[in-house]
Amino acid sequence: MADPEHPQKPDTKIITGGRRKALTGAVVNPPVWRASTHLYENVAALNEGGNTNEDGRFFYGRRGAPTQWSLAEALTELEPGAHGTMLYPSGVAAIAGALLAVLQPGDVLLMSDNAYDPSRSFAQGFLKKWGVETRFFDPLAGAGISELFCDRTRAILMESPGSLTFEVSDIPAICTAAKAQQGKREIVTLLDNTWATPYFFTALDKGVDMTILAATKYVVGHSDVMAGSVTTGKRHWQALRATAQTLGQILSPDDAYLAARGLRTMAVRLKAHEASALEIARWLSDRPEVAKVLHPAHPDCPGHAIWRRDFTGSSGLFSFVLKGDQDSAARFVDTLELFGIGFSWGGFESLAVPKRPEHYRSATHWACDGTVIRLQIGLEDVADLKADLERGFAALSAA
Ligand SMILES: *Cc1c(COP(=O)(O)O)cnc(C)c1O
């Protein structure tokens, strides 16, 4: 399907990806292919089946079936330079699977200080017990990260923008610094790309070795499935795959089906999330109750120039600093009716949650004049969302 003379645009690739006739048949939407056991013709075929380790040939349920392979291929096709994608039952499982594929006891992991809290917990709990030391770095370190390298540094986990505070890292500079070490010791770069997805930020062609998605968010898009993925080039593919299989990681065919179905509309959804989020962020920045808006597309966001250079858009998640204390933030959020109060994001519905980024920092200090409220802007009408936020502000002045 791919014509090197005319590479498909991302909107088209989202529609065509993973739809190889040889893999899923002639149907438009690959059905749920549920199975654990494959019956072989005879013992010779059984032995032969056990020797192959390739997808595209059903062997045993733990290695997936056409529903999962199709989704994995579709995600691979969105990342120029990718060789393959492994799927996981959640985003956290994908982060753990990627890190375990590259780290060994005795290694040092560098992790961006704005990383997702469960990524920090995995490093500070599991990896520590397993003999891996984690050192956190300033997300704005850029090429300066090389000052932190030592002869035990094995991997760098980045998250850009950070999903609470939204500063944007210079990923190409960090990856270049890591690659400059090669010869001495290979440092593998990993990115949690959940906020931008490959639609707004292709990671491997910026130098990243492994790119991770909590597919639970924008890929699934409907707040009803947990899923994760890791996409990588040839170099790290076998290690990634072997680790996932050793750990018995599998995304169920039903969940893979829903994620694949969600993916087909991801481009239109992301553009709608983007437009509404930008409009609400701009509107919030003019409100007297708001101290600051934390959105990569705003010029005062740390790393804004890098976002403009490297990203093709922005998604629906951002934060703002509400003047006042935790009680005001709770009153504001409790008053909202359209914005739900809940974990996760990336679905069609809007969410609002107070956040305490200062609790999830160790290498950098985070402070603000008020309380952080994170918004996921869904696909509702913007005027209705603004009216809802107005209600929240009115409740503050009434108190
Ligand atoms: C939600 C999230 C994850 C984890 O995904 P789950 O599917 O909830 O396990 C990882 N990274 C980021 C940035 C997230 O927002």
Side-chain angles (χ1 to χ4, degrees):
M1 204 179 285
D3 171 2
E5 298 269 311
H6 300 282
Q8 289 179 348
K9 302 268 193 282
D11 287 73
T12 309
K13 280 200 235 174
I14 278 179
I15 303 303
T16 60
R19 286 174 51 203
R20 265 195 303 126
K21 215 167 165 180
L23 186 63
T24 57
V27 291
V28 171
N29 203 13
V32 179
W33 212 93
R34 260 197 221 105
S36 58
T37 298
H38 178 80
L39 295 175
Y40 296 87
E41 278 300 311
N42 50 41
V43 173
L46 175 84
N47 292 340
E48 169 71 12
N51 288 336
T52 62
N53 192 28
E54 283 168 31
D55 284 344
R57 181 162 168 189
F58 189 67
F59 163 72
Y60 177 54
R62 202 186 324 107
R63 292 190 191 172
T67 317
Q68 291 100 323
W69 301 334
S70 171
L71 170 64
E73 271 193 24
L75 293 172
T76 301
E77 287 174 42
L78 290 178
E79 277 288 347
H83 179 74
T85 297
M86 289 308 293
L87 301 173
Y88 300 81
S90 70
V92 162
I95 292 165
L99 289 171
L100 292 174
V102 300
L103 293 167
Q104 289 177 32
D107 286 344
V108 170
L109 165 68
L110 299 178
M111 187 180 293
S112 181
D113 208 26
N114 59 358
Y116 182 60
D117 178 39
S119 300
R120 295 179 72 99
S121 305
F122 179 69
Q124 289 166 317
F126 185 98
L127 288 179
K128 184 174 176 208
K129 231 169 33 182
W130 202 54
V132 170
E133 184 188 337
T134 301
R135 297 176 188 165
F136 292 92
F137 66 91
D138 184 343
L140 302 175
I145 192 154
S146 59
E147 286 163 30
L148 301 176
F149 294 165
C150 69
D151 57 10
R152 292 193 295 128
T153 310
R154 169 64 71 197
I156 305 173
L157 178 65
M158 302 168 278
E159 184 176 316
S160 176
S163 57
L164 294 186
T165 44
F166 299 92
E167 53 287 82
V168 182
S169 300
D170 192 339
I171 291 169
I174 292 172
C175 294
T176 300
K179 294 218 163 46
Q181 293 298 298
Q182 260 161 33
K184 284 190 220 161
R185 176 186 178 89
E186 178 167 13
I187 300 178
V188 184
T189 51
L190 304 96
L191 172 69
D192 182 335
N193 197 27
T194 302
W195 182 86
T197 82
Y199 186 69
F200 286 141
F201 183 84
T202 49
L204 300 192
D205 64 4
K206 310 288 189 317
V208 172
D209 293 313
M210 290 188 178
T211 179
I212 303 164
L213 293 179
T216 308
K217 313 289 166 62
Y218 288 122
V219 173
V220 165
H222 294 73
S223 303
D224 52 4
V225 171
M226 306 294 297
S229 68
V230 182
T231 300
T232 190
K234 261 207 170 83
R235 183 168 180 79
H236 299 285
W237 172 243
Q238 285 309 331
L240 180 72
R241 181 182 162 80
T243 304
Q245 292 187 346
T246 303
L247 294 173
Q249 292 289 34
I250 176 90
L251 180 66
S252 82
D254 299 75
D255 289 346
Y257 170 84
L258 287 168
R261 187 174 167 135
L263 177 67
R264 301 303 176 196
T265 57
M266 189 174 78
V268 283
R269 283 187 286 108
L270 276 175
K271 281 184 269 199
H273 286 298
E274 174 179 45
S276 298
L278 285 171
E279 189 175 335
I280 289 175
R282 205 173 305 118
W283 176 79
L284 282 172
S285 65
D286 289 335
R287 295 285 314 196
E289 302 91 342
V290 172
K292 200 173 178 176
V293 169
L294 310 170
H295 189 305
H298 280 215
D300 61 351
C301 182
H304 166 72
I306 291 161
W307 172 79
R308 284 185 52 166
R309 184 192 68 191
D310 293 345
F311 289 66
T312 57
S314 55
S315 59
L317 189 80
F318 70 95
S319 294
F320 69 97
V321 178
L322 182 72
K323 291 177 188 166
D325 57 11
Q326 294 297 327
D327 290 342
S328 323
R331 194 174 314 119
F332 178 84
V333 170
D334 285 345
T335 306
L336 304 177
E337 288 171 8
L338 271 180
F339 285 84
I341 306 169
F343 292 114
S344 202
W345 45 279
F348 49 75
E349 83 294 2
S350 291
L351 298 169
V353 263
K355 290 282 183 184
R356 312 282 298 263
E358 61 276 18
H359 291 178
Y360 309 107
R361 297 272 169 159
S362 48
T364 52
H365 178 67
W366 206 89
C368 67
D369 251 348
T371 317
V372 173
I373 294 180
R374 190 178 74 178
L375 300 179
Q376 133 83 8
I377 303 300
L379 304 177
E380 304 89 341
D381 190 285
V382 176
D384 289 338
L385 292 176
K386 281 184 190 166
D388 202 28
L389 294 168
E390 293 260 20
R391 243 193 308 274
F393 289 128
L396 291 183
S397 48

